[in-house]
Amino acid sequence: MKPTKKQLEKIAKEYNLGKVKSIGKFQRGAVNFNTILRTENGNFILRIVGRKVDYKLNKRMKLEIWVLEYLNKLNFPYKI
């Protein structure tokens, strides 16, 4: 499902990204909905997983999320 402006603003609020200035999109994305979110606190890329995820991809994505959350808890300077 493609995210709405209201949903993206809710995400920005929940994650303390700041007030949304503009929303952009990527031209491609076979499985994910990739959105560029520009806020008063900077630019962010939101990746919302689509429904066409197989078992292997799902497992890999869970690992990626776990690693990013772990690094975030350590205050690792991750700029992407």
Side-chain angles (χ1 to χ4, degrees):
M1 132 189 138
K2 183 178 175 184
T4 65
K5 181 179 179 184
K6 188 175 180 179
Q7 289 170 324
L8 294 172
E9 288 173 343
K10 183 178 178 182
I11 290 169
K13 184 177 180 182
E14 285 185 27
Y15 287 92
N16 297 316
L17 302 180
K19 185 176 178 183
V20 176
K21 290 179 163 182
S22 68
I23 298 168
K25 64 178 182 175
F26 288 93
Q27 296 299 321
R28 298 183 60 169
V31 176
N32 305 318
F33 294 101
N34 300 309
T35 304
I36 303 167
L37 192 62
R38 292 180 178 87
T39 73
E40 61 191 5
N41 293 336
N43 299 326
F44 302 90
I45 296 175
L46 300 178
R47 188 172 65 176
I48 299 172
V49 179
R51 297 175 191 239
K52 298 179 182 177
V53 178
D54 64 11
Y55 174 78
K56 284 176 122 177
L57 181 58
N58 186 35
K59 193 171 180 179
R60 192 172 74 213
M61 290 174 69
K62 283 182 181 180
L63 174 62
E64 177 185 355
I65 291 168
W66 180 86
V67 169
L68 291 174
E69 287 176 346
Y70 178 79
L71 292 174
N72 187 46
K73 286 178 188 174
L74 297 176
N75 294 318
F76 187 82
Y78 187 69
K79 295 291 184 180
I80 296 176

